[in-house]
Amino acid sequence: MAGPGTPVVFIHGLWLHATSWTPWVDHFRAAGYAPVAPGWPHEPETVELARANPDAVADIGIDDATEHFASIVAGLERPPVLIGHSFGGLITEKLLGQGIGLAGVAIDPAQIKGVLPLPLAQLRAGLPALGNPANLHRAVSLTEKEFRFGFGNALTDEESAELYRRWTVPSPARPLFQAAAANFVLHSQAAVDTHRADRGPLLLISGTADHTVPDVVTRSTFKQYRDSTAVTELKQFEGRGHSLTIDGGWREVADAVLAWLREQGI
């Protein structure tokens, strides 16, 4: 059980800036939580600065980011709720599997080791980074067209373009390469302890129209937890894409997370 002021740490994924969580931070604060939305290692403080200095985040891997957020959690007075989107969702799962955090919510979480489905839409969404092996050590930006396919496919052209203008930043390509090769690497950084029984509850969320992390991938991730006795649940949002944390329907997702946390007594 958690009382008022429970910390919440929001963890964003690739190609979005930490400030994209601002509406969620305000919403959760109004609900009585103590939320923060830190950036990835070396991430500049604003979208504009991040775009101007892409090399700041080049070559950052999954473990680098996970250790960064673990150190942030260690500096809090109380264990937080972890809420991550895309690769932030994978990091949320890793941290929870390490016994870090009170509870976790992984929204459209990136593919973890052991998940086998690899839909064509997901391959296409990852091509801006994976299409060139030299990108492994680089930060990569999306074009507006690439963002439309990977994030905004369930939106109007106008809303997708506005979200692209407002929130997109260059991101390290290394995590995508690590996730893509996870099932062929013995000690993959995309591996998650899905068997742990003494972790906090975990909610997985998927959008059924997601191209970047298709619903079948999240459902397969959910199955990876079948041997754990800890609370693990899956919620699907019909017709929603990878933009579901930042588009006009974000509040519906946020309210579902708040309701689930109340169900868990958190």
Side-chain angles (χ1 to χ4, degrees), residues 60-115:
I60 292 170
I62 293 172
D63 279 355
D64 298 322
T66 303
E67 291 165 8
H68 169 74
F69 287 102
S71 68
I72 291 171
V73 170
L76 299 174
E77 293 184 359
R78 298 160 59 187
V81 174
L82 306 169
I83 301 178
H85 173 245
S86 198
F87 268 96
L90 184 152
I91 292 167
T92 293
E93 291 181 72
K94 281 183 69 74
L95 290 171
L96 208 62
Q98 294 169 10
I100 298 172
L102 184 64
V105 179
I107 305 170
D108 296 338
Q111 196 158 343
I112 65 174
K113 183 178 174 67
V115 171

Side-chain angles (χ1 to χ4, degrees), residues 91-255:
I91 292 167
T92 293
E93 291 181 72
K94 281 183 69 74
L95 290 171
L96 208 62
Q98 294 169 10
I100 298 172
L102 184 64
V105 179
I107 305 170
D108 296 338
Q111 196 158 343
I112 65 174
K113 183 178 174 67
V115 171
L116 299 180
L118 190 60
L120 288 175
Q122 185 180 19
L123 285 172
R124 179 178 166 186
L127 274 179
L130 299 174
N132 182 353
N135 285 339
L136 174 64
H137 304 291
R138 298 172 178 166
V140 176
S141 299
L142 296 181
T143 66
E144 186 174 329
K145 182 178 180 181
E146 289 164 344
F147 180 86
R148 178 81 166 98
F149 181 82
F151 281 76
N153 58 291
L155 309 176
T156 64
D157 289 341
E158 293 75 17
E159 184 174 9
S160 181
E162 172 60 20
L163 294 176
Y164 175 81
R165 182 198 64 77
R166 185 182 301 173
W167 299 125
T168 56
V169 293
S171 289
R174 180 178 283 274
L176 280 164
F177 283 91
Q178 292 172 324
N183 291 325
F184 308 100
V185 176
L186 182 60
H187 300 293
S188 170
Q189 293 188 22
V192 169
D193 184 354
T194 57
H195 301 283
R196 187 167 187 143
D198 62 346
R199 60 162 172 82
L202 172 66
L203 174 64
L204 300 171
I205 291 178
S206 72
T208 63
D210 196 329
H211 282 169
T212 297
V213 185
D215 178 62
V216 65
V217 172
T218 306
R219 286 188 278 115
S220 181
T221 299
F222 179 60
K223 291 178 182 177
Q224 298 299 308
Y225 287 92
R226 59 186 175 272
D227 294 329
S228 172
T229 56
V231 172
T232 310
E233 297 182 9
L234 170 67
K235 183 172 180 60
Q236 297 160 291
F237 283 86
E238 192 68 31
R240 301 295 295 278
H242 205 60
S243 66
L244 81 175
T245 59
I246 58 170
D247 61 34
W250 71 267
R251 189 181 295 268
E252 178 189 7
V253 183
D255 284 342

